[in-house]
Amino acid sequence: MKVVSCPRLPYPNFWNGYAWCDVDVYQLGLHVLVVLRDQNDHGGTSVTNAIEIVARRVREQILAPEGLEGLEVHWVEWSRTDRIASTVVFRNPERLEGPTWQYLSAKEFEKILSAFEAPGQLAAWIREGALDLEGWEESRGEPRSRGN
């Protein structure tokens, strides 16, 4: 079930000013799903390259005020540059450090969203133009490291 949506969450751009991403948070029992959707309407640092900063900002500004920061959090990132979705796992989840990414197919992404009682959300994002599926399935690959 969707708990909160935060369009255009700002985070520091590595060069100057701010970049932003859309954030959607879902809760099912003791589990929380955070979906970070990087967008093409800024020329700043990608979510992929700033994932630790973005995750900490989400925890402080969105999860904590909603009372969700103590639950088990699962992260999914939509990369604007790679045009794929990935799960993100932090080697140190308390400090949100040491991220690793694992490719997530459209079918797997929809399955996760459905499990969090958000069936059809992926299709809605595609209709809105918030996600571009062109080339998504062809981009499939191995786990990514930063900057890939």
Side-chain angles (χ1 to χ4, degrees):
M1 169 174 73
K2 187 179 271 190
V3 176
V4 66
S5 187
C6 178
R8 298 177 69 91
L9 176 78
Y11 57 90
N13 184 4
F14 289 168
W15 302 280
N16 188 7
Y18 285 88
W20 50 84
C21 66
D22 295 338
V23 181
D24 294 284
V25 178
Y26 303 85
Q27 181 184 6
L28 186 64
L30 299 176
H31 297 271
V32 173
L33 173 66
V34 176
V35 179
L36 306 170
R37 294 181 291 123
D38 200 0
Q39 300 300 311
N40 283 325
D41 60 353
H42 67 84
T45 306
S46 70
V47 170
T48 301
N49 287 329
I51 190 72
E52 292 147 314
I53 294 166
V54 173
R56 288 185 200 112
R57 189 162 280 212
V58 167
R59 183 171 56 194
E60 293 165 5
Q61 295 181 6
I62 299 173
L63 300 182
E66 294 291 332
L68 302 173
E69 78 279 11
L71 303 179
E72 185 172 343
V73 179
H74 307 273
W75 301 86
V76 172
E77 177 213 357
W78 170 261
S79 169
R80 76 173 194 255
T81 55
D82 297 330
R83 291 195 326 238
I84 61 170
S86 301
T87 57
V88 181
V89 176
F90 294 94
R91 282 188 292 274
N92 185 334
E94 276 208 25
R95 295 177 54 103
L96 296 170
E97 294 176 345
T100 58
W101 292 260
Q102 179 64 48
Y103 169 80
L104 191 60
S105 71
K107 187 175 183 176
E108 293 166 326
F109 194 5
E110 182 59 45
K111 186 177 177 181
I112 290 169
L113 288 165
S114 292
F116 278 86
E117 299 177 356
Q121 182 62 69
L122 183 59
W125 286 329
I126 293 165
R127 274 192 311 275
E128 294 168 2
L131 296 182
D132 176 11
L133 284 185
E134 185 180 326
W136 184 351
E137 294 301 322
E138 292 80 34
S139 299
R140 182 182 342 220
E142 297 300 313
R144 300 184 289 148
S145 61
R146 183 180 314 276
N148 289 344

